[in-house]
Amino acid sequence: MFAAVLDTNVLWPGLQRDFLLSLAAAGLFRPLWSEHILDELRMTQVRKLVGQGVNTEVAQARAGMLEARMREEFPDAIVTGYEPLIGSFKLPDPEDEHVVAAAVLGGAGLIATGNTKHFPAEDLPWTLEIATPTEFASMTVEIDPNSAWRALQAMATRSGRHGPKVTALEIVNELIQRYDMQEMADFLPIPATTSQESV
């Protein structure tokens, strides 16, 4: 199973995060992140929720619960001891150094990030690949499309707890519309009995 660091901007969008972590829970890859990434995620979640009109204290509590669930579900995802490597890669934005440091120390082969220009190939170890979340979703689903479809069905089963009940196909269509994941969807073994009008 290959390991990938998920940058904060990949984890910030809720549906995208749920999908990618569902693929990880299905054993398609091993997710990695740093304390820096979790701190950034918690702060950005609070800002997003407050921007949506949620009370600050409630937003902080909900962001904290998200972080706690991620720690609980993926206890081996945290990379520690990477700090001495920060500053070693001379990235365009020094604030991104911790991402590469965590990837190197965690043994990741890939960093999924929405800011690919911040990670030029010439500044990275040759063993480390950079992919957008859309590219990463496609390559991960391609590994085992059947497991990926089952992960989507599990997402559909979980839906309805904090919002409307949706089907796996509706989730796929939403992933396409929000995150341009048509290529990923094309790998899925959607049953012939399932309506494919929007896929």
Side-chain angles (χ1 to χ4, degrees):
M1 185 190 311
F2 78 99
V5 168
L6 304 182
D7 199 2
T8 307
N9 53 56
V10 174
L11 294 167
W12 182 77
L15 180 62
Q16 179 172 275
R17 176 183 63 245
D18 192 9
F19 175 53
L20 294 179
L21 294 185
S22 293
L23 296 179
L28 293 178
F29 75 99
R30 179 186 170 210
L32 296 174
W33 42 68
S34 65
E35 293 289 353
H36 278 84
I37 289 172
L38 289 183
D39 287 345
E40 289 176 349
L41 178 61
R42 186 176 61 254
M43 289 186 292
T44 55
Q45 282 293 109
V46 170
R47 285 199 297 268
K48 177 172 69 173
L49 292 169
V50 169
Q52 294 171 348
V54 177
N55 174 277
T56 300
E57 290 185 3
V58 174
Q60 291 172 337
R62 286 171 58 179
M65 286 189 291
L66 169 62
E67 180 184 349
R69 286 198 305 271
M70 290 173 62
R71 289 180 184 274
E72 181 180 355
E73 293 295 324
F74 302 99
D76 298 329
I78 292 282
V79 179
T80 59
Y82 58 86
E83 290 83 358
L85 292 178
I86 293 176
S88 303
F89 309 102
K90 311 306 179 189
L91 297 178
D93 185 349
E95 294 297 317
D96 292 319
E97 287 276 328
H98 69 91
V99 180
V100 180
V104 169
L105 197 60
L110 182 144
I111 294 172
T113 179
N115 294 327
T116 56
K117 291 181 180 179
H118 289 197
F119 300 91
E122 60 270 21
D123 294 336
L124 302 177
W126 67 271
T127 54
L128 195 55
E129 182 180 355
I130 299 296
T132 67
T134 300
E135 293 167 341
F136 178 61
S138 295
M139 67 177 66
T140 304
V141 168
E142 188 179 13
I143 292 170
D144 188 343
N146 289 309
S147 291
W149 179 246
R150 287 192 292 271
L152 283 158
Q153 290 175 311
M155 287 178 65
T157 300
R158 292 194 301 271
S159 70
R161 297 178 185 175
H162 305 290
K165 190 75 174 173
V166 294
T167 66
L169 183 59
E170 287 172 330
I171 294 171
V172 172
N173 286 329
E174 196 67 22
L175 289 167
I176 293 170
Q177 292 170 19
R178 290 194 200 179
Y179 313 119
D180 194 27
M181 291 191 179
Q182 182 64 59
E183 183 180 23
M184 175 281 297
D186 291 341
F187 288 120
L188 293 169
I190 299 173
T193 54
T194 302
S195 171
Q196 301 184 43
E197 293 178 358
S198 301
V199 174

